Amino acid sequence: MSTSKAKTPQTMKSATAAKKLGILLSAAPAEFQEGPVSRDELNALQADPPSWLADLRREGPHPRQVVAAKLRVSASGLARAGITGPLTTAEIENLKAENPDWLEREQAIQAEVRKEELRLKQQRAKA
């Protein structure tokens, strides 16, 4: 005879939840930053984002991985360009409009990497 324990909700650190939500933890409200986030809470935030989350996703500041994706470069490319901190959507749009040499170069590198990854994936599929 086995006794079943009541299921305890699966929780994660707020930093992990922020990463999964694609937001910068330090820009989130204090109540989000302070405690653990349950899987159910995370799912609810993803399904029906509150205004603070929608604003952060729309306006930033954005974490590096989001900045890199919006600029179509790698996180390493950002580092090579000297961009180490978060950027807002307006700053990202300004960079796109200016289109500096480093951005063009890093986008070309990233496009080549994606092309090679696709080629390798197709090659593995044939094997």
Side-chain angles (χ1 to χ4, degrees):
M1 288 188 229
S2 64
T3 59
S4 62
K5 289 184 176 181
K7 273 190 163 181
T8 57
Q10 183 182 13
T11 61
M12 63 193 84
K13 293 179 181 176
S14 54
T16 303
K19 189 172 184 176
K20 288 180 181 284
L21 292 169
I23 61 169
L24 194 63
L25 179 61
S26 59
E31 59 269 10
F32 179 84
Q33 293 181 36
E34 289 168 358
V37 178
S38 74
R39 174 64 64 185
D40 291 338
E41 290 170 332
L42 178 68
N43 291 340
L45 287 170
Q46 288 172 325
D48 187 23
S51 62
W52 65 264
L53 180 55
D55 290 344
L56 272 179
R57 285 178 167 169
R58 185 176 47 255
E59 298 167 13
H62 303 289
R64 285 174 47 96
Q65 69 271 17
V66 174
V67 172
K70 286 179 178 278
L71 290 173
R72 297 185 336 268
V73 299
S74 67
S76 299
L78 288 177
R80 284 190 290 271
I83 298 176
T84 57
L87 297 178
T88 64
T89 300
E91 291 168 327
I92 293 168
E93 293 304 318
N94 286 342
L95 272 174
K96 286 179 177 179
E98 291 171 9
N99 202 22
D101 290 342
W102 70 264
L103 182 57
E104 283 187 40
R105 188 173 51 253
E106 292 300 336
Q107 286 174 338
I109 291 169
Q110 189 66 9
E112 285 298 316
V113 167
R114 287 190 182 120
K115 195 159 76 171
E116 180 64 9
E117 287 173 348
L118 179 61
R119 185 189 70 78
L120 291 172
K121 183 179 177 183
Q122 290 171 342
Q123 187 179 19
R124 283 190 296 269
K126 289 180 184 176

